[in-house]
Amino acid sequence: MPSINPVIQVRVDPEIKAAASEVAAGIGIPLSTLINAFVTRLAWEGKVPFELIAPDVPNRRVRDAIDELEAGKGTRCASIEDMYKAAGIER
């Protein structure tokens, strides 16, 4: 008789889920597989088991900001000091 795996339901902010799914896709592994691997290793080792790092690519927020600048929108700053001034941050 085939075994039936129980389902774990987790409440996650929709933006976090979307971002995590995007990172998982970048690694080339479905998010559900990563979660299953995490839970399995957690059970076997009794600790948070591993770290996976996505390829060095901009995340969605950074890509959106780049797209905005390339479309001629947003504020360009020549230095970090200019950026702070544009953002209204005093240093």
Side-chain angles (χ1 to χ4, degrees):
M1 174 185 270
S3 67
I4 298 174
N5 292 330
V7 173
I8 297 176
Q9 292 182 333
V10 180
R11 295 184 191 273
V12 179
D13 180 280
E15 289 182 20
I16 297 296
K17 181 183 177 190
S21 295
E22 187 174 315
V23 171
I27 295 170
I29 302 172
L31 183 58
S32 61
T33 300
L34 287 174
I35 292 169
N36 189 35
F38 174 83
V39 170
T40 299
R41 299 272 307 271
L42 179 65
W44 289 350
E45 298 174 4
K47 61 182 180 179
V48 175
F50 54 86
E51 178 177 311
L52 291 176
I53 299 172
D56 189 18
V57 296
N59 64 30
R60 184 182 332 146
R61 280 181 50 187
V62 173
R63 283 196 312 267
D64 288 348
I66 291 169
D67 291 344
E68 181 179 325
L69 286 173
E70 288 176 347
K73 301 175 187 171
T75 303
R76 290 187 181 269
C77 300
S79 68
I80 190 77
E81 289 79 17
D82 291 344
M83 182 192 73
Y84 282 123
K85 286 178 188 175
I89 299 171
E90 292 184 34
R91 288 188 40 149

